[in-house]
Amino acid sequence: MGADLQGSLLDAFEDPALGSLDGLTRTELGRGAWIDVLPGWLTGADQVYGRLARDVPWQAERRQMYDRVVDVPRLLCFYGENVDLPLPILDEARDALTERYAEELGEPFRTAGLCFYRDGRDSVAWHGDRIGRGDREDTMVAILSVGEPRVLALRPRPGGSGGASGPVGSTVRYPLGHGDLIVMGGSCQRTWEHAIPKASGRVGPRISIQFRPRGVR
Ligand SMILES: O=C(O)CCC(=O)C(=O)O
């Protein structure tokens, strides 16, 4: 795969483990959207990165874009409901998130979408996860990040439901590092958009694991 990570040597010998979710910090974005952030939720992230990079059956996809078919600028693998995730620590993460958000979300996190950003040229364009419940009611998408830090950018959805467009410059940026967790909640998927912008310079690989409730994509 040629996707070596310049991880810390100490971390390389550490078994993966999840910390407490008590340290989550919530930021209200407006229009009923919020994000919870917890840097360093996962320790031993080097091992997680290494095994996912090596063992996941990554797929390169192509998509129709107007009159052209283009490469999707990242590798993908989707784990639906009731399938084993590629590492037990990811099942633990999903279950811990389900327990933490049980009352607020009202249903479990059930699927895991994995993205592999090979370098700074890989990215995700602006979008909301609006297939399923995310299009009409509040939901949550939780993202665990391993590998090179990349920015998750969020901006009010232009002309979206839930209010007028946000003011120019209202984009917020969260650098997601090795082992960090971010949860997008409330109306975030229908009133805001998110993206992983391309990054310039020498940017190493990153893998994101997105946990979602049933039907949300
Ligand atoms: O990689 C990430 O953190 C975000 C991925 C994402 O937004 C998506 O795949 O829909």
Side-chain angles (χ1 to χ4, degrees):
M1 178 68 57
D4 292 339
L5 181 67
Q6 300 241 312
S8 93
L9 283 177
L10 278 178
D11 198 29
F13 295 104
E14 202 176 340
D15 283 334
L18 298 167
S20 160
L21 287 168
D22 290 346
L24 279 164
T25 306
R26 181 158 301 188
T27 303
E28 300 289 343
L29 297 174
R31 304 177 181 187
W34 53 258
I35 49 163
D36 279 352
V37 175
L38 181 56
W41 183 40
L42 171 73
T43 50
D46 284 6
Q47 269 197 34
V48 173
Y49 170 83
R51 290 191 188 166
L52 294 178
R54 190 190 61 198
D55 296 341
V56 167
W58 295 107
Q59 285 150 26
E61 293 187 358
R62 290 171 66 74
R63 281 190 192 153
Q64 188 80 34
M65 188 86 151
Y66 305 104
D67 56 347
R68 291 186 304 146
V69 178
V70 296
D71 290 334
V72 171
R74 61 195 175 281
L75 302 179
L76 300 160
C77 191
F78 182 73
Y79 293 82
E81 293 187 32
N82 306 319
V83 298
D84 287 338
L85 296 183
L87 288 175
I89 195 76
L90 300 185
D91 292 294
E92 267 179 55
R94 182 200 54 215
D95 295 349
L97 290 162
T98 290
E99 191 180 330
R100 167 75 186 202
Y101 290 104
E103 208 173 309
E104 214 173 352
L105 181 58
E107 62 174 323
F109 289 96
R110 292 186 199 261
T111 67
L114 272 61
C115 291
F116 194 150
Y117 302 83
R118 294 155 288 187
D119 57 32
R121 290 167 295 186
D122 278 352
S123 61
V124 163
W126 288 109
H127 70 286
D129 294 359
R130 298 181 57 221
I131 296 174
R133 168 179 169 173
D135 193 38
R136 44 182 200 282
E137 55 182 289
D138 291 359
T139 192
M140 292 184 200
V141 177
I143 300 173
L144 177 60
S145 196
V146 292
E148 185 82 5
R150 291 289 296 264
V151 166
L152 178 79
L154 295 119
R155 69 179 184 194
R157 189 173 152 221
S161 59
S165 300
V168 173
S170 53
T171 299
V172 291
R173 294 167 204 281
Y174 287 87
L176 296 182
H178 202 32
D180 293 355
L181 170 71
I182 189 166
V183 182
M184 298 180 277
S187 66
C188 203
Q189 301 306 324
R190 63 181 195 283
T191 61
W192 285 64
E193 297 178 319
H194 57 277
I196 302 287
K198 292 187 190 304
S200 56
R202 278 176 66 86
V203 178
R206 165 185 183 254
I207 292 173
S208 76
I209 304 104
Q210 311 113 40
F211 299 104
R212 298 183 178 86
R214 176 175 287 159
V216 175
R217 291 294 286 271

